[in-house]
Amino acid sequence: MTYVERLRVPSWWWLVAALLVASVAMAILAYVPWQQGVVIVGLFGLAVAVVVFSYGHTAVSVVDGVLHVGRYTLEGRWIAGVEPLDRDESAHAMAAGANPRDFLVTRPYITDLVRIRLNDAADPHPHWLISSRRPQEFAAAVEAISVGSA
């Protein structure tokens, strides 16, 4: 089973970023010569765009028996179990029920999580908590490669 998802930022984040750049542009252009101001605002706008794009460009995939979350990978043999969490369960897992040792790849604009339980005694993380817009599908794909399914 193959699963691929990008944890893209919502479109309104781009609007907020544009408004931030516009407000900074008004402040800068009011006090510095316009040539310098345009350069400063352009660089600032580019920096904001890179930050928003990179934050929302994280890929989550299950391909060829390996879970990929951004630059991190986890082979199926280290996965003991998988649990999709809905909005309320996710909120509990991130607050009152949080384990400070859990490995997190979460996004505030995605309300559902998938909890992946590890069976590697050498790993300091007992679970991975990963944001997903399709937690049932993601959990099924991870379950398919886990040792529990073999």
Side-chain angles (χ1 to χ4, degrees), residues 83-94 110-115 129-130 132-136:
E83 178 184 8
L85 305 176
D86 64 19
R87 175 188 292 243
D88 294 334
E89 293 167 329
S90 297
H92 178 73
M94 293 298 293
I110 300 175
T111 60
D112 297 332
L113 295 173
V114 172
R115 178 184 293 142
L129 288 175
I130 312 298
S132 177
R133 289 188 173 92
R134 303 183 328 255
Q136 300 295 335

Side-chain angles (χ1 to χ4, degrees), residues 98-112:
N99 182 339
R101 294 179 29 219
D102 285 348
F103 176 78
L104 304 175
V105 178
T106 60
R107 297 297 183 257
Y109 47 83
I110 300 175
T111 60
D112 297 332

Side-chain angles (χ1 to χ4, degrees), residues 33-82:
W34 73 270
Q35 296 92 342
Q36 291 174 336
V38 168
V39 170
I40 293 169
V41 170
L43 291 174
F44 179 74
L46 180 63
V48 169
V50 165
V51 168
V52 172
F53 179 78
S54 63
Y55 189 71
H57 198 66
T58 302
V60 174
S61 64
V62 178
V63 180
D64 297 329
V66 179
L67 168 64
H68 302 272
V69 181
R71 62 185 178 139
Y72 305 100
T73 60
L74 184 63
E75 294 179 22
R77 64 187 170 130
W78 302 117
I79 299 172
V82 183

